[in-house]
Amino acid sequence: MSCLPAKISTGLEARLAACENTILSTSGIAPGYLQANLIVLPSRFAADFRLLCFRNPVPCPLLAESASVGNHSYLKSWMKDIADDKVAHCIDIRTDAPRYMVYRDGKLLKAKCKDLTEEWTEDHVAFLIGCSYSFETALAAAGLLPNHTVWGRVVPMYRTNLPLCPAGVFTGSTYTVSMRLYKKSDVEKVRGITRPYVATHGEPIAWGWEAVRVLGVSNINRPDWGETPFTAEGKALEIGDKENVPVFWGCGVTPQEAVMRASLPGVVMGHAPGHMIVLDVKENQVIEHT
Amino acid sequence: MSCLPAKISTGLEARLAACENTILSTSGIAPGYLQANLIVLPSRFAADFRLLCFRNPVPCPLLAESASVGNHSYLKSWMKDIADDKVAHCIDIRTDAPRYMVYRDGKLLKAKCKDLTEEWTEDHVAFLIGCSYSFETALAAAGLLPNHTVWGRVVPMYRTNLPLCPAGVFTGSTYTVSMRLYKKSDVEKVRGITRPYVATHGEPIAWGWEAVRVLGVSNINRPDWGETPFTAEGKALEIGDKENVPVFWGCGVTPQEAVMRASLPGVVMGHAPGHMIVLDVKENQVIEHT
């Protein structure tokens, strides 16, 4: 029997619920707390992956990693002004996401499994990467609720042609982006609101119809992940719409794609999409007004 | 009369020589010491520029900045493990580069002037950005001396189509890159040698003939800055050469181009190309083995 409160309102409660398998998607769970993408790699690829994040901080904002090789319980914080012991109290990387994915030698081994206790070894290193859920709260608070949340849909995400700065074994990868439609006249306001969220992708990387071409998004109405975009009126998006323009942000799928593309030998793990690890850190603790 | 030693072997000596106007180009000066690009902006653009650097650390590695608005003598260090007072002892930003450029409202006001004492105001903020001279020493030490230094030429630099992640007023800018020719079989070695130089652009962002297309370099034999590339044999480069392939790095001209493109109102200043500010920090102090 679960001793969890009826409503999950903190990161710790969310991790307990994930560990007890009483929640699935973390969407809307523990509002105001940072949710993180998880990537677990064999230690020999850890330095290159860390460097990939540092060279590409907009799509790959590194929040924390295993304090040492093989460590699934203590994290080193990469967030400014957040001490190591304030990231996620009593975390166990192997159990505290609701669902996981496991790959061996670049091929899917297990989808949506409940824990990583069998697969985790003394040679694994976990990385936690920022997620754009955070700035959506801020957008909503400013009266700029993203359309996909209005219509209860998953944010559309796309592969692009925009190359990442390579790092070691991680070469040939490109940005993935999330997209939210906004009125052309709201774009500068949207940029300003999301700008301080540097730990969670920050301000958009491109906007407007010209951006679709520059990024090499092949069909805006057929996202590679998530659901087809709707306008504020709940209609299908017309290409070149003069009022509703696409606004693109760096997306946390980017580092996962980079890892998949590198076809690493050995066992690689991650959270299942939408089934994130919720931290003890609150969104407003990592806002940076440079 | 100058009291400088005949050979300039430290950052401090280089800055004294620059202040006394006894040197011009800093190429080959004070080997082993970091040389920095200088950008000086009105304070209202400082936060956006700092963010531009943080979002694009490969082409715009921020080393240090004015400790406070209007401060030309004390610097805040952004280099890992380098304290503020170890960046450049007794520096004066206004006099310690050999030559400067001054722009007003986006237009050139003075070229190659000796100091900034007339133009600097209490509202200016200085930024120092890493420069790729540093890793050239390491390449030479490994027997991979860049061709342009063999032939006493300036490294070729190019504009690209690769967009920077925008930040506030700094939108619509692209990477500039420096290029060095290497044997195809040496590329992995070259990547490995330059990888730890994260404060000075680090490993290449792209290589090989396909990279020319991806980056949108229009004519490799007509660089936008620097001189036409030569092969190791001192010959002109043939497009598609199977042995000599172009290797591209992020380039410190990038932030200058971004500032120029933003057409900022007010007085903006920088060092004259090749006339850098030499720091007290040694290249091997900022190597990072992630």
Side-chain angles (χ1 to χ4, degrees), chain A residues 47-48 50-51 54-55 57-58 80 162-168 171 175 191 195 198 201-207 214 290, chain B residues 47-48 50-51 54-55 57-58 78 162-168 171 175 191 195 198 201-207 214 290:
Chain A
D48 285 353
R50 194 180 301 120
L51 188 60
F54 291 159
R55 282 167 66 90
V58 174
K80 206 173 151 183
L162 191 64
L164 291 188
C165 289
T171 60
Y175 279 61
R191 292 184 66 209
R195 187 167 299 138
V198 294
H201 307 301
E203 69 165 276
I205 63 162
W207 50 89
V214 170
T290 52
Chain B
D48 286 352
R50 193 180 300 123
L51 188 60
F54 291 159
R55 282 166 65 91
V58 173
W78 287 108
L162 191 63
L164 292 188
C165 290
T171 61
Y175 279 61
R191 290 184 68 208
R195 187 166 298 139
V198 294
H201 307 300
E203 69 166 276
I205 62 163
W207 51 90
V214 169
T290 53

Side-chain angles (χ1 to χ4, degrees), chain B residues 10 77 89 92 101 117 120 126 135 158 211 218 266 270:
Chain B
T10 69
S77 170
H89 188 64
D92 189 332
M101 309 293 276
T117 43
W120 182 278
F135 62 63
Y158 308 85
S218 51

Side-chain angles (χ1 to χ4, degrees), chain B residues 59-168:
Chain B
C60 313
L62 186 54
L63 303 179
E65 66 172 273
S66 294
S68 54
V69 173
N71 200 327
H72 47 71
S73 307
Y74 292 94
L75 299 176
K76 172 183 168 57
S77 170
W78 287 108
M79 287 169 279
K80 207 174 151 182
D81 304 326
I82 304 291
D84 296 349
D85 61 348
K86 300 296 181 201
V87 178
H89 188 64
C90 289
I91 194 172
D92 189 332
I93 290 288
R94 303 169 304 175
T95 57
D96 290 0
R99 290 289 186 273
Y100 296 89
M101 309 293 276
V102 180
Y103 303 85
R104 182 184 287 156
D105 300 336
K107 292 200 176 62
L108 185 67
L109 193 68
K110 288 187 184 180
K112 298 200 173 180
C113 56
K114 290 183 179 174
D115 62 60
L116 298 177
T117 43
E118 276 179 32
E119 291 80 11
W120 182 278
T121 70
E122 288 305 298
D123 184 50
H124 275 112
V125 179
F127 293 92
L128 297 176
I129 314 274
C131 155
S132 56
Y133 283 172
S134 315
F135 62 63
E136 290 195 347
T137 316
L139 285 167
L144 293 162
L145 192 66
N147 292 355
H148 68 271
T149 60
V150 177
W151 300 101
R153 295 167 75 82
V154 181
V155 66
M157 292 165 276
Y158 308 85
R159 287 194 179 88
T160 75
N161 293 335
L162 191 63
L164 292 188
C165 290

Side-chain angles (χ1 to χ4, degrees), chain A:
Chain A
M1 202 184 87
S2 171
C3 56
L4 283 168
K7 190 177 179 312
I8 294 169
S9 58
T10 69
L12 183 59
E13 287 168 10
R15 294 196 301 281
L16 278 170
C19 182
E20 294 186 359
N21 293 304
T22 56
I23 55 165
L24 277 170
S25 160
T26 49
S27 176
I29 293 277
Y33 285 84
L34 275 191
Q35 301 206 5
N37 298 279
L38 171 70
I39 288 174
V40 180
L41 299 173
S43 66
R44 66 187 178 284
F45 305 119
D48 285 353
F49 184 76
R50 194 180 301 120
L51 188 60
L52 182 78
C53 294
F54 291 159
R55 282 167 66 90
N56 301 280
V58 174
C60 312
L62 186 54
L63 303 179
E65 66 172 275
S66 294
S68 54
V69 174
N71 199 328
H72 49 70
S73 307
Y74 293 93
L75 300 176
K76 171 182 169 56
S77 170
W78 287 107
M79 289 168 279
K80 206 173 151 183
D81 304 326
I82 304 290
D84 296 349
D85 62 348
K86 300 296 181 200
V87 178
H89 188 65
C90 289
I91 195 171
D92 189 332
I93 289 289
R94 304 169 302 175
T95 57
D96 290 359
R99 290 288 185 274
Y100 297 89
M101 309 293 276
V102 180
Y103 304 85
R104 181 183 288 155
D105 300 335
K107 291 200 177 63
L108 185 67
L109 195 67
K110 287 187 182 181
K112 297 199 172 180
C113 57
K114 291 182 180 176
D115 62 61
L116 300 176
T117 44
E118 275 180 31
E119 291 80 10
W120 181 278
T121 70
E122 288 304 299
D123 184 48
H124 277 111
V125 179
F127 293 92
L128 297 176
I129 313 276
C131 154
S132 56
Y133 282 173
S134 316
F135 63 62
E136 291 196 346
T137 317
L139 285 168
L144 292 162
L145 193 66
N147 293 356
H148 68 271
T149 60
V150 177
W151 301 102
R153 294 166 77 82
V154 180
V155 67
M157 292 164 276
Y158 308 84
R159 286 192 180 90
T160 74
N161 292 336
L162 191 64
L164 291 188
C165 289
V169 297
F170 300 102
T171 60
S173 297
T174 58
Y175 279 61
T176 63
V177 291
S178 63
M179 191 280 282
R180 293 159 190 83
L181 286 175
Y182 278 103
K183 305 293 172 203
K184 207 171 176 179
S185 56
D186 283 332
V187 169
E188 281 306 310
K189 204 172 161 195
V190 164
R191 292 184 66 209
I193 290 165
T194 56
R195 187 167 299 138
Y197 287 83
V198 294
T200 56
H201 307 301
E203 69 165 276
I205 63 162
W207 50 89
W209 290 104
E210 173 63 7
V212 177
R213 191 192 61 76
V214 170
L215 295 174
V217 169
S218 51
N219 186 343
I220 197 129
N221 283 316
R222 292 190 62 180
D224 294 297
W225 300 271
E227 294 177 88
T228 310
F230 276 2
T231 67
E233 297 76 27
K235 291 184 183 158
L237 175 65
E238 273 181 50
I239 309 297
D241 186 321
K242 288 232 181 328
E243 201 177 23
N244 298 289
V245 299
V247 181
F248 297 98
W249 277 264
C251 174
V253 174
T254 308
Q256 293 173 38
E257 280 276 291
V259 167
M260 288 303 109
R261 197 182 162 97
S263 299
L264 306 179
V267 173
V268 168
M269 301 168 262
H271 68 287
H275 299 67
M276 326 290 279
I277 291 190
V278 191
L279 306 183
D280 294 341
V281 181
K282 299 204 79 171
E283 291 159 5
N284 58 16
Q285 288 180 276
V286 289
I287 289 179
E288 271 183 52
H289 292 283
T290 52

